[in-house]
Amino acid sequence: MNESPLWTRFESCPLCASTDTVLLRNDNCENHPIWQKGLPTTLDWMHCQHCQHIYTRNYFTPQGLALLFSKANQIQVAGLNLDHERARWAPTVERIQGHLQQQGWMGDGMVWLDIGCGSGGLVITAAEYGFSAIGLDSRVQAVEGIEALGYSAVLGNLMELHVTDPVMVISLADVLEHVPFPREALKRVHSALMPGGLVMVSCPNLDSGSWRKANAEGMNPYWSEMEHHHNFSRASLMRLLAEEGFLPVDYSISTRYKSCMEVIARRA
């Protein structure tokens, strides 16, 4: 990316603060579904030589985010096949229930906050299982679409998260790779959860076989994903969660997106 008021440069690795970083690759992003004039045409991916994290050279300013979120990808707003969404999210909700050792319909105030709720599939499915489910999203279209179906959603973002009463479950379904500073995001999640509460994180796994195959074929869509700032492996995500006060308790392969993984962790 060239210099612009729409983005700013990371001064160091956003995970370990090392300045020992090198350019890994540069990729065109003009074919991204929500690209528009004014947004970057290319992405620079950096490789930290200290902790091995891979991240973009720059991240969006509030002005840049306003332009980015002025358009919404079809998969990020309500209106999808909700029977398909139920089937896709049911295993996640059931794993959460298993780790809570309590069914959502058995407890009062079993609040589930889905950050970056998008089309609302997880909010709707968690509510069906008995949770008091609430969606949070930065896109007006997403919030309005969920509310139109009679479910709860609010406009906001993870880095401004504040709850008056700690919640039982927080989900970050393909969210952590979007935020510039994942550690700060997880600190907010930690403070918003009850002791013993659960966080579910899903994101692409750069160490998966499908990621490696896509790289080998030169067909990996994540290198041109301008909404992403980070690429995690299973090991690096587990380590980050542990360092921020969570105990990882579950790993699974997600079918939501290509090369996607899901990790459930308990707040210490």
Side-chain angles (χ1 to χ4, degrees), residues 12 23 48 60-61 64 66 72 79 97-98 105 111 117 123-124 146 151-153 166 191 206 210 235 238 248 255 263:
S12 60
L23 178 65
C48 176
F60 287 105
T61 63
Q97 285 184 323
W105 49 265
V111 178
C117 55
V123 172
I124 293 166
I146 293 169
Y151 296 91
S152 298
S191 65
L206 64 79
S210 60
M238 294 282 199
T255 60
V263 175

Side-chain angles (χ1 to χ4, degrees), residues 95-96 99-100 197-199 238 241 246-251 263-267:
R95 281 196 297 274
I96 290 287
H99 287 289
L100 290 175
L198 298 176
V199 62
M238 294 282 199
L241 286 165
F246 297 94
L247 174 65
V249 296
D250 191 292
Y251 177 85
V263 175
I264 298 172
R266 190 180 304 280
R267 180 195 188 276

Side-chain angles (χ1 to χ4, degrees), residues 88-153:
R88 181 165 61 179
W89 284 119
T92 297
V93 177
E94 289 165 6
R95 281 196 297 274
I96 290 287
Q97 285 184 323
H99 287 289
L100 290 175
Q101 298 182 332
Q102 184 177 17
Q103 304 301 309
W105 49 265
M106 291 172 60
D108 295 327
M110 297 280 285
V111 178
W112 183 317
L113 177 61
D114 183 31
I115 297 174
C117 55
S119 65
L122 181 50
V123 172
I124 293 166
T125 306
E128 182 174 345
Y129 276 79
F131 289 91
S132 297
I134 305 169
L136 178 75
D137 205 278
S138 300
R139 291 177 169 86
V140 174
Q141 303 100 312
V143 172
E144 291 178 345
I146 293 169
E147 290 181 327
L149 295 175
Y151 296 91
S152 298

